Amino acid sequence: MLFLKLSWESFRFAISALKTSLTRTILSLLGVTVGIFAIIAVFTLVDSLEKNIKSSFSFLGTNVMRVDRFPFANGPQDYPWWKYFRRPPGTVEEYKFLQERLTSAEAVTISASSNTTVKAGSNAYEGMALTGVVYSYQDVYEISLEEGRYFSQSEINAARNFAIIGREIANTLYPQQEVIGKQIKIKGMKFVVIGVFEEEGEGLFDAPSKDEACLIPYGAFSKMYYTGRNGMEPTIAVQGMEEDIGLVALENEMTGLLRAKRGLKPRDEDNFALNKTEFIQNAIGSIFDVISVAGWVIGGFSILVGGFGIANIMFVSVRERTNIIGIQKSLGAKNYFILFQFLFESICLSLIGGITGIIIVYFLTFIQLGSLEIALSFKNIMLGLGVSTIIGVVSGIVPATLAARMDPVEAIRTN
């Protein structure tokens, strides 16, 4: 209890000293404010940008393995595209084969896409992303509907002319009207709208958005487009199990099944690519890791300057209060009481500067940078406070130690 009481008294002494020299306090914490602002501003911008970019690629799904002709990996320098171009695309037969035999998967789906124009009366929407899907599509990719429902299994099997459209398409074709149950026309065929996707808004880098997408049964899509090698190539996608870290078991099983289905001999090279959608997100994460390091370097110099400023002020404070230190020690003040008194002063100085920098970053998050949504995360707030505290301890520990070790008689005699 005595230790806690003396620590509290040290803290009060530190606050009182900061109030006494208010101008000097404000000038000395500016360095830390700029440093913390630089670090947290960079991290906040990087985190927000990374989050927005990854959300722009959410249409690829998570924990998903795709069967493609071209692999996601490999750089452009040694990319033998001519070899991959000769590979056969996935087929409905392979989709059914995998669906029946895969044991390391949650769901298997197949889809094919094309850009086209959709019409309703005198209104038309160009550049719509039309996708033919099967019932299990909703088990692999997230389907968030604002209105209506998803296809039933019988509607998929019968290739009924039903459609789920994006909010932008709905607003264009039927402005300020209820769209569920209305008809739209795609390549001369009439479809009934049974659902509308939740609005996503504008994404970064013009990534595909559900606002301008349309889903129809795969059978209905095949009536309008030829699917296969010389037509719209379908994509087989498999949802892996959560416990399959890295989709290793799924990749091995899919490789064996596809090689068997395509009749490849043991020495034959795979004529397909199994692409993990996490590859793109991991690549994006690696890029932003480098940017984060640059943020540490930029903010680190500012923090270093701020730390030297606080250390300099603390040495001045020790010199100015040498007589007071001698009187306190002669009255029985412990060394840790003197140590804490100056250490708390240094930490408070640094924390005030850090909090000020975080507050400035917070107000900057209200600035809109196009479609980029900037948000200050709790992680970055704690990072700023943690760095401020460390800078305060490092900057104040030497002056505080010198003050604690002073001889009371010599300290009192000092002018």
Side-chain angles (χ1 to χ4, degrees), residues 313-333:
I313 292 300
M314 294 311 301
F315 277 116
V316 172
S317 296
V318 171
R319 179 177 294 275
E320 288 179 345
R321 287 148 55 189
T322 300
N323 288 336
I324 299 176
I325 295 171
I327 294 172
Q328 288 176 337
K329 297 195 75 172
S330 64
L331 294 175

Side-chain angles (χ1 to χ4, degrees), residues 1 20 29 76-77 102 197 213 227 282 306 309 318 321 335 339 382:
M1 289 297 295
T20 302
L29 61 82
Q77 296 179 350
L102 274 178
F197 289 113
T227 57
N282 292 337
V318 171
R321 287 148 55 189
N335 285 349
L339 177 72
M382 296 308 297

Side-chain angles (χ1 to χ4, degrees), residues 255-305:
T255 300
L257 290 174
L258 285 173
R259 289 182 62 87
K261 178 62 177 177
R262 297 190 176 188
L264 297 178
K265 297 178 181 179
R267 293 187 179 181
D268 291 341
E269 185 181 353
D270 293 341
N271 61 354
F272 55 86
L274 298 180
N275 291 319
K276 303 173 185 177
T277 55
E278 280 74 11
F279 173 82
I280 295 178
Q281 295 187 347
N282 292 337
I284 294 172
S286 299
I287 295 173
F288 282 103
D289 286 343
V290 176
I291 299 175
S292 297
V293 172
W296 273 111
V297 173
I298 294 171
F301 284 108
S302 300
I303 284 289
L304 192 62
V305 173

Side-chain angles (χ1 to χ4, degrees), residues 54-72:
K54 287 185 175 181
S55 65
S56 297
F57 288 95
S58 61
F59 65 94
L60 293 173
T62 56
N63 209 37
V64 173
M65 184 87 71
R66 291 162 46 105
V67 180
D68 295 310
R69 289 194 292 160
F70 296 84
F72 286 166

Side-chain angles (χ1 to χ4, degrees), residues 288-404:
F288 282 103
D289 286 343
V290 176
I291 299 175
S292 297
V293 172
W296 273 111
V297 173
I298 294 171
F301 284 108
S302 300
I303 284 289
L304 192 62
V305 173
F308 282 132
I310 291 177
N312 181 55
I313 292 300
M314 294 311 301
F315 277 116
V316 172
S317 296
V318 171
R319 179 177 294 275
E320 288 179 345
R321 287 148 55 189
T322 300
N323 288 336
I324 299 176
I325 295 171
I327 294 172
Q328 288 176 337
K329 297 195 75 172
S330 64
L331 294 175
K334 303 292 184 181
N335 285 349
Y336 68 80
F337 176 81
I338 306 298
L339 177 72
F340 284 176
Q341 180 178 325
F342 287 93
L343 196 59
F344 285 157
E345 184 176 341
S346 175
I347 293 173
C348 287
L349 205 64
S350 184
L351 272 177
I352 293 171
I355 292 172
T356 305
I358 292 172
I359 292 174
I360 296 174
V361 174
Y362 173 73
F363 283 114
L364 289 180
T365 59
F366 292 101
I367 300 175
Q368 290 294 326
L369 300 177
S371 60
L372 178 62
E373 182 181 349
I374 303 177
L376 178 60
S377 65
F378 179 75
K379 178 190 73 173
N380 285 335
I381 293 175
M382 296 308 297
L383 175 65
L385 295 177
V387 172
S388 301
T389 303
I390 292 173
I391 292 300
V393 172
V394 173
S395 301
I397 189 66
V398 174
T401 302
L402 291 177

Side-chain angles (χ1 to χ4, degrees), residues 14-326:
I15 297 297
S16 177
L18 291 177
K19 290 180 179 180
T20 302
S21 304
L22 192 58
T23 303
R24 187 174 67 186
T25 298
I26 294 174
L27 292 175
S28 60
L29 61 82
L30 283 178
V32 177
T33 299
V34 173
I36 294 298
F37 167 76
I39 290 178
I40 302 306
V42 170
F43 280 9
T44 298
L45 187 60
V46 166
D47 290 349
S48 300
L49 189 59
E50 182 178 4
K51 180 181 177 181
N52 278 264
I53 292 177
K54 287 185 175 181
S55 65
S56 297
F57 288 95
S58 61
F59 65 94
L60 293 173
T62 56
N63 209 37
V64 173
M65 184 87 71
R66 291 162 46 105
V67 180
D68 295 310
R69 289 194 292 160
F70 296 84
F72 286 166
N74 294 339
Q77 296 179 350
D78 58 346
Y79 197 80
W81 60 268
W82 57 90
K83 179 176 67 175
Y84 302 142
F85 183 76
R86 294 195 296 267
R87 291 175 171 180
T91 63
V92 175
E93 290 73 24
E94 289 176 349
Y95 151 67
K96 293 180 179 178
F97 182 80
L98 293 175
Q99 190 179 43
E100 292 172 357
R101 289 169 174 79
L102 274 178
T103 59
S104 302
E106 294 283 352
V108 184
T109 188
I110 188 172
S111 60
S113 301
S114 175
N115 289 335
T116 187
T117 300
V118 58
K119 299 179 180 180
S122 59
N123 297 325
Y125 188 91
E126 297 181 356
M128 177 185 71
L130 179 66
T131 304
V133 301
V134 295
Y135 184 75
S136 57
Y137 186 86
Q138 63 176 340
D139 299 323
V140 178
Y141 300 103
E142 182 181 357
I143 303 294
S144 300
L145 300 180
E146 183 180 322
E147 300 178 39
R149 61 177 178 82
Y150 189 69
F151 309 106
S152 67
Q153 184 69 66
S154 60
E155 290 167 350
I156 293 289
N157 295 338
R160 299 284 300 276
N161 286 7
F162 288 159
I164 300 173
I165 62 176
R167 172 49 62 187
E168 188 173 342
I169 299 173
N171 293 339
T172 302
L173 299 182
Y174 291 97
Q176 298 179 347
Q177 295 183 46
E178 176 62 41
V179 71
I180 301 297
K182 298 291 180 61
Q183 284 190 346
I184 59 176
K185 187 176 290 186
I186 306 172
K187 295 184 72 68
M189 295 179 61
K190 294 181 179 179
F191 287 81
V192 177
V193 178
I194 63 171
V196 178
F197 289 113
E198 284 186 358
E199 186 173 4
E200 287 188 346
E202 184 181 355
L204 295 175
F205 307 114
D206 295 326
S209 170
K210 289 187 175 67
D211 293 344
E212 48 191 6
C214 176
L215 300 185
I216 62 174
Y218 191 86
F221 184 91
S222 301
K223 295 176 184 178
M224 295 184 289
Y225 296 94
Y226 172 73
T227 57
R229 177 62 184 238
N230 298 317
M232 301 300 171
E233 295 186 6
T235 300
I236 299 173
V238 181
Q239 177 70 52
M241 295 183 177
E242 293 184 2
E243 60 270 17
D244 187 6
I245 301 176
L247 301 179
V248 177
L250 178 61
E251 184 176 9
N252 293 335
E253 187 179 10
M254 286 181 67
T255 300
L257 290 174
L258 285 173
R259 289 182 62 87
K261 178 62 177 177
R262 297 190 176 188
L264 297 178
K265 297 178 181 179
R267 293 187 179 181
D268 291 341
E269 185 181 353
D270 293 341
N271 61 354
F272 55 86
L274 298 180
N275 291 319
K276 303 173 185 177
T277 55
E278 280 74 11
F279 173 82
I280 295 178
Q281 295 187 347
N282 292 337
I284 294 172
S286 299
I287 295 173
F288 282 103
D289 286 343
V290 176
I291 299 175
S292 297
V293 172
W296 273 111
V297 173
I298 294 171
F301 284 108
S302 300
I303 284 289
L304 192 62
V305 173
F308 282 132
I310 291 177
N312 181 55
I313 292 300
M314 294 311 301
F315 277 116
V316 172
S317 296
V318 171
R319 179 177 294 275
E320 288 179 345
R321 287 148 55 189
T322 300
N323 288 336
I324 299 176
I325 295 171

